Amino acid sequence: MVNHELAKKVKDVALAHGADLVGIVKVADLPEHEERISRILPYSLSVVVIAARHSLAAISSSNNQMAQFDTIHTYNECARSSHTVSRFLESGGFPSIAMPAFIPIDMQHPGKGMRGEICWRRAGVRAGLGSYGENGLLVTREFGSAIRLAGVLTTADLGPDHPLEKDVCDHCGKCVSACPVAALSGNGVINKKLCGGNIFKYGFRFFQKFVEGLYQKSDPEITKIIAGHELREMWQTFMTGNYYYCYECQTQCQAKSLPNQQSKI
Ligand code: B12
Ligand code: SF4
Ligand code: SF4
């Protein structure tokens, strides 16, 4: 039986432990993911979708390390909130799993790390957290696209939310023009290769080329590469688990998001 009271409690727990927005979608309303979900947690009925907001100032900073540090924190808030919710539900007798926000992710063919078990944008739209933007991201009334998403699978039959009736994106097109590598062409269409090349400067592809490159070089060249800035950058990526070098399409819906953030003071 659909439990609205438990849904309310779950939302309170999520909001008290790092979430800024939370919504619920029935597994049956995510037919694209139903098969995978049933393999991860048989008899799951609901997905709790959690959004944690970025600091808009940090991800707009020209110093990318500020944006990366903020991203680590925002993902941590997603993890904290989703794990607390899953433990809360399990203590009530409902098997539940906190899902990764982005990694770990299936690295095998054909997805190769580019397809999540649940697409959080899609789940967020169906749970009524916001709507799709021209940037292809989930845009919220409260924080624009400057959020990170995660969630919890549960066997509890939680009272669901509904997709918003009104489009949150005002189609100003700022995100499309702000992309430094012209990866966006509007209406959510993205050239994943162009974007990936820009945001993952020292990610997997760089690592792969780096290792390949070492085989083809002479000893003195290898020594130079090993002493170079790029290896240190890659080491930092591995250490922090964060490798994003661009946030432009996340920061453009400022008109919508800033007043709300200020109103909390
Ligand atoms: C792989 C991945 C990428 C890849 C591919 C992105 C992509 N478009 O699929 C790359 C490396 C390019 C990438 C880039 C970025 N990513 Co990314 N990425 C993911 C990841 C891990 C998986 C996405 C996935 O499964 N895609 C596969 C399929 C489902 O996507 P698709 O085929 O494109 O289908 C989409 C469209 O068809 C769209 N769609 C369908 N109908 C319609 C209709 C309209 C009108 C529109 C507009 C769209 C639309 O809906 C589908 C998604 O819901 C998710 C985490 C997760 N598990 O969700 C994060 C995630 C999507 N990324 C995120 C972010 C923030 C970014 C970046 C800003 C980088 C950064 N600095 O962090 C850029 C933004 C690029 C952009 N504008 O889209 C956030 C998005 C937050 C938000 N507000 O929506 C996520 C959810 C991570 C998180 N946990 O918060 N990412
Ligand atoms: S910047 Fe404008 S067009 Fe892009 S997602 Fe935000 S509101 Fe929509
Ligand atoms: S993250 Fe940067 S490179 Fe990727 S689509 Fe957004 S603006 Fe373009």
Side-chain angles (χ1 to χ4, degrees):
M1 213 178 68
V2 181
N3 194 332
H4 292 279
E5 207 180 307
L6 185 58
K8 161 95 180 59
K9 281 188 189 158
V10 160
K11 287 181 181 175
D12 289 345
V13 170
L15 293 168
H17 292 87
D20 291 291
L21 300 171
V22 56
I24 290 163
V25 56
K26 280 182 170 296
V27 170
D29 290 331
L30 287 170
E32 305 87 345
H33 298 306
E34 226 175 336
E35 198 198 320
R36 277 171 170 237
I37 287 178
S38 69
R39 271 189 263 135
I40 295 169
L41 181 65
Y43 311 111
S44 334
L45 291 174
S46 314
V47 181
V48 182
V49 188
I50 281 162
R53 72 178 175 90
H54 277 283
S55 150
L56 202 51
I59 62 168
S60 307
S61 171
S62 58
N63 182 330
N64 193 57
Q65 283 132 33
M66 304 306 131
Q68 291 188 331
F69 189 45
D70 187 72
T71 306
I72 293 165
H73 173 72
T74 311
Y75 272 135
N76 283 346
E77 291 295 81
C78 283
R80 185 163 72 92
S81 185
S82 55
H83 281 99
T84 312
V85 164
S86 89
R87 277 152 184 70
F88 170 74
L89 282 162
E90 289 213 317
S91 71
F94 298 104
S96 304
I97 296 179
M99 301 279 292
F102 84 119
I103 47 174
I105 194 167
D106 185 3
M107 287 292 181
Q108 297 184 74
H109 288 276
K112 294 199 248 172
M114 293 292 272
R115 187 165 284 269
E117 297 292 347
I118 291 184
C119 171
W120 291 122
R121 290 165 291 163
R122 177 181 286 140
V125 168
R126 307 236 171 112
L129 294 190
S131 58
Y132 282 115
E134 293 285 341
N135 54 10
L137 299 175
L138 176 73
V139 187
T140 65
R141 266 192 300 256
E142 296 83 354
F143 311 111
S145 293
I147 49 158
R148 296 276 152 180
L149 296 158
V152 178
L153 276 188
T154 179
T155 53
D157 196 0
L158 302 173
D161 294 291
H162 302 286
L164 300 181
E165 276 167 22
K166 250 185 107 190
D167 195 356
V168 176
C169 168
D170 60 17
H171 308 282
C172 65
K174 280 189 197 160
C175 49
V176 174
S177 3
C179 177
V181 292
L184 298 173
S185 35
N187 206 25
V189 179
I190 175 175
N191 181 325
K192 296 181 188 181
K193 263 207 171 136
L194 282 179
C195 172
N198 192 37
I199 60 175
F200 297 153
K201 286 211 170 84
Y202 299 98
F204 177 71
R205 290 233 167 83
F206 178 81
F207 174 68
Q208 199 177 28
K209 275 197 191 132
F210 186 87
V211 174
E212 269 169 21
L214 289 182
Y215 283 115
Q216 292 151 12
K217 305 280 179 196
S218 64
D219 277 355
E221 280 173 321
I222 293 175
T223 313
K224 205 172 144 202
I225 290 170
I226 288 173
H229 142 261
E230 278 142 332
L231 186 64
R232 285 199 289 276
E233 200 73 46
M234 198 163 64
W235 174 82
Q236 182 158 260
T237 295
F238 292 160
M239 289 300 287
T240 63
N242 186 284
Y243 47 144
Y244 298 120
Y245 284 79
C246 179
Y247 296 81
E248 291 297 337
C249 59
Q250 274 195 291
T251 59
Q252 302 302 317
C253 323
Q254 299 196 7
K256 270 189 283 295
S257 45
L258 269 175
N260 183 286
Q261 291 192 23
Q262 283 166 354
S263 73
K264 287 192 172 175
I265 297 169

